[in-house]
Amino acid sequence: MEPLKIIEKYYDIQSEAYHILVTHSRNITDKALSIAKAHPGMNLDLTFIEEAAMLHDIGMILCYAPDIDCHGTYKYICHGYLGADLLRKEGFPRHALVCERHTGTGISRQMIEKNKLPLPHRDFLPVSPEEQLICFADKFFSKTKLNKEKSISKIRDSLSRYGEETVIRFDDWCKLFLV
């Protein structure tokens, strides 16, 4: 599998959206691989991590987020499950799970219903260690300040607006991945 070839099916390589997606995804990939290599006892699938991290945000092009050159019709929170649909169509169901489960620290069905989010009513929580690692690495980088890594305290502050369970999940990942 060649992630850039898949991305290029959906993005104009001259567009700002492509540049943002690829730069952001490379940051996430590098962070995730660095953490994975520091934990050889976890037996993480490095090839899968590299591929899935590069593709985790592919669905953003279908959303309306003009700040990152995306002019689709869906709300940005939908980019995960929309990207998953694209990757399933491409024949990569395992990679699709990373797309749909990486937003925040994952989104539970309960959170979707409580906050009336425009998402299918099901759990979007990372399950496998690889899914969790990519989701964790994604919290360190934004698409609006490319290449600038956030501090743990800044991430925690940002996540706190989504509820205590989100911060607890992030803190658990810090204990798992950063020791």
Side-chain angles (χ1 to χ4, degrees), residues 10 12 16 25 34 39 50 53 59 63 67 73 82 100 112 120 123 126 141 145 148 160 164 171 177:
Y10 300 96
D12 175 350
E16 186 66 13
S25 298
S34 173
H39 294 83
E50 183 167 18
C63 299
D67 290 353
T73 56
L82 294 170
E100 71 182 20
I112 292 167
D123 283 330
F141 297 94
K145 294 181 182 173
K148 184 175 182 195
S160 67
E164 186 179 353
D171 288 344
F177 294 125

Side-chain angles (χ1 to χ4, degrees), residues 88-101:
R88 284 187 186 95
K89 188 171 86 174
E90 294 292 331
F92 299 103
R94 184 175 173 214
H95 298 70
L97 293 174
V98 173
C99 285
E100 71 182 20
R101 296 175 175 173

Side-chain angles (χ1 to χ4, degrees), residues 2-13:
E2 295 181 54
L4 289 178
K5 287 197 188 284
I6 294 170
I7 291 168
E8 290 166 10
K9 286 183 173 185
Y10 300 96
Y11 288 75
D12 175 350
I13 63 170

Side-chain angles (χ1 to χ4, degrees), residues 10 29 49-50 64 78 118 151:
Y10 300 96
T29 300
I49 289 169
E50 183 167 18
Y64 184 72
C78 299
S151 69

Side-chain angles (χ1 to χ4, degrees), residues 15-42:
S15 71
E16 186 66 13
Y18 176 87
H19 169 73
I20 290 168
L21 173 64
V22 171
T23 303
H24 172 72
S25 298
R26 187 79 252 163
N27 287 328
I28 305 321
T29 300
D30 292 346
K31 178 87 174 169
L33 287 173
S34 173
I35 293 169
K37 289 173 184 175
H39 294 83
M42 292 180 80

Side-chain angles (χ1 to χ4, degrees), residues 64-76:
Y64 184 72
D67 290 353
I68 56 172
D69 192 32
C70 295
H71 305 281
T73 56
Y74 293 87
K75 291 188 183 259
Y76 189 75

Side-chain angles (χ1 to χ4, degrees), residues 81-152:
Y81 86 85
L82 294 170
D85 291 347
L86 294 178
L87 291 185
R88 284 187 186 95
K89 188 171 86 174
E90 294 292 331
F92 299 103
R94 184 175 173 214
H95 298 70
L97 293 174
V98 173
C99 285
E100 71 182 20
R101 296 175 175 173
H102 84 276
T103 305
T105 59
I107 303 173
S108 69
R109 179 184 179 136
Q110 180 183 16
M111 288 172 67
I112 292 167
E113 292 171 355
K114 177 183 173 190
N115 297 299
K116 298 179 175 46
L117 299 175
L119 299 171
H121 288 215
R122 63 180 193 257
D123 283 330
F124 293 99
L125 298 166
V127 177
S128 75
E130 290 85 358
E131 291 169 9
Q132 292 177 48
L133 175 56
I134 294 166
C135 184
F136 177 70
D138 187 43
K139 304 297 93 58
F140 288 87
F141 297 94
S142 77
K143 291 176 203 73
T144 56
K145 294 181 182 173
L146 294 174
N147 299 313
K148 184 175 182 195
E149 188 165 342
K150 297 179 202 173
S151 69
I152 289 175

